[in-house]
Amino acid sequence: MTRAIDRDGLPESLAEKTRFQPASDVTISSRARSLPAPIKTPKVEYWNTKDLPWRITSDIAAAACASGLISPLITIIDRSIIERASSRCTLRASILNSLTHFLTRPHKFLASKPALLISALYFGTYLTANTVDTLTSTFEHKPPETTTSGSAKFLATTGVNMSLCLYKDSQFTRMFGPSHSLAGAAAKAVPTASYALFALRDSLTIFASFNLPPLVAPILPLSKELEKQVSRASMAQFLAPAGIQLLSTPLHLWGLDLYNRPMGNGVGWRGRVRRVGRDWLGSSAARIGRIVPAFGVGGVVNSSVRGRMMGLKSG
């Protein structure tokens, strides 16, 4: 018995079986069943936690070195500005009195309430800036010595500096304000408007000290010969916070005048403008002399100590 042959030369039974299932489909489906399911590789994200305890120690040590170095001079200058604004004595007399106290009894000067307030203010400010840099290098897996200039650093340092500085200013104003407040009468409260002006003053200073230098440094018109002596970063660290004092000093003086001559005692805004204008030049010079060590010298010392300590481990 012979089988019928189709026109392709295949038995009809075999042709019918393969007519609706091409050989390629059979091969593909069998291969698909034999291959394992694809494995999804998870995205690996990790933090740079190498030597983290040492990096935190570096942040604290750098902030302590910077604040300890600059606090005596800033204490002297801050006191002189407030005593000058309250007409207790001249800038020169106040500076000479405080300097004599520092040189003859340094242990008592450094342990006094004004000096401790200044030390706490700048230690907290520099430690906050260093902590933001360390957190950034940890979470974004950057080198440990990385420094930032973004909004997170500005907001953090401004918040800490402003809180500590407002408390310091309220204490300094009461201690070194008008003499009648120290002669047995209860110290009057610092008005809210003064706090607001002090806060705006500090915001300008913090922005010019921590955020502006990295932006200004690349565009400074420095010659190649000068760049061999001082880096652009160091020059910007001195110039930016010093220059902003020409704008922030009037805010400082207006806030002090609102405390020394409260609103409602017949003093108009013209009288306050005259008082601010009278003290603006001398107080601006004093605050520039204050801010250069505070955020110029202090900033360079803080960044240098931090960078060198970080380099001891990374190098």
Side-chain angles (χ1 to χ4, degrees), residues 3-237:
R3 293 183 181 178
I5 303 300
D6 70 351
R7 61 182 180 180
D8 294 324
L10 294 175
E12 289 185 356
S13 59
L14 181 59
E16 289 175 357
K17 290 181 180 181
T18 60
R19 184 174 300 161
F20 302 103
Q21 189 176 2
S24 58
D25 291 346
V26 175
T27 304
I28 293 174
S29 60
S30 61
R31 287 180 180 177
R33 285 195 299 268
S34 62
L35 290 176
I39 300 175
K40 293 184 178 180
T41 304
K43 184 180 180 181
V44 178
E45 294 182 359
Y46 56 97
W47 296 344
N48 181 15
T49 58
K50 182 182 179 182
D51 299 323
L52 187 57
W54 176 254
R55 288 154 61 187
I56 295 173
T57 302
S58 302
D59 292 341
I60 297 173
C65 289
S67 60
L69 179 65
I70 65 179
S71 60
L73 179 59
I74 296 175
T75 301
I76 293 172
I77 294 176
D78 275 8
R79 176 174 179 171
S80 68
I81 292 174
I82 293 178
E83 288 186 329
R84 173 67 182 90
S86 61
S87 300
R88 294 185 65 174
C89 62
T90 63
L91 277 172
R92 185 168 180 264
S94 177
I95 291 175
L96 288 177
N97 290 337
S98 297
L99 191 59
T100 301
H101 183 201
F102 174 63
L103 294 176
T104 57
R105 291 174 291 176
H107 59 291
K108 290 189 176 181
F109 181 91
L110 295 175
S112 64
K113 183 177 180 179
L116 292 177
L117 286 170
I118 295 294
S119 296
L121 165 63
Y122 288 99
F123 176 77
T125 301
Y126 281 120
L127 181 58
T128 301
N130 293 343
T131 301
V132 172
D133 289 338
T134 295
L135 290 175
T136 301
S137 66
T138 299
F139 294 150
E140 298 182 6
H141 201 268
K142 294 182 177 181
E145 62 274 12
T146 298
T147 57
T148 61
S149 60
S151 58
K153 190 173 189 178
F154 172 72
L155 293 175
T157 52
T158 299
V160 171
N161 180 269
M162 191 179 299
S163 301
L164 295 174
C165 199
L166 288 178
Y167 178 74
K168 183 270 296 181
D169 284 336
S170 67
Q171 297 301 309
F172 267 57
T173 303
R174 292 173 180 176
M175 288 187 288
F176 308 123
S179 58
H180 63 77
S181 65
L182 302 176
K188 57 188 177 182
V190 178
T192 303
S194 294
Y195 280 121
L197 290 168
F198 293 158
L200 182 56
R201 172 207 65 192
D202 293 338
S203 297
L204 291 174
T205 300
I206 290 296
F207 177 77
S209 301
F210 291 101
N211 296 77
L212 199 55
L215 303 176
V216 172
I219 60 175
L220 285 177
L222 299 182
S223 63
K224 293 183 178 180
E225 291 74 15
L226 185 57
E227 284 194 66
K228 295 178 181 178
Q229 306 297 325
V230 59
S231 66
R232 288 178 174 270
S234 297
M235 182 65 72
Q237 188 66 62

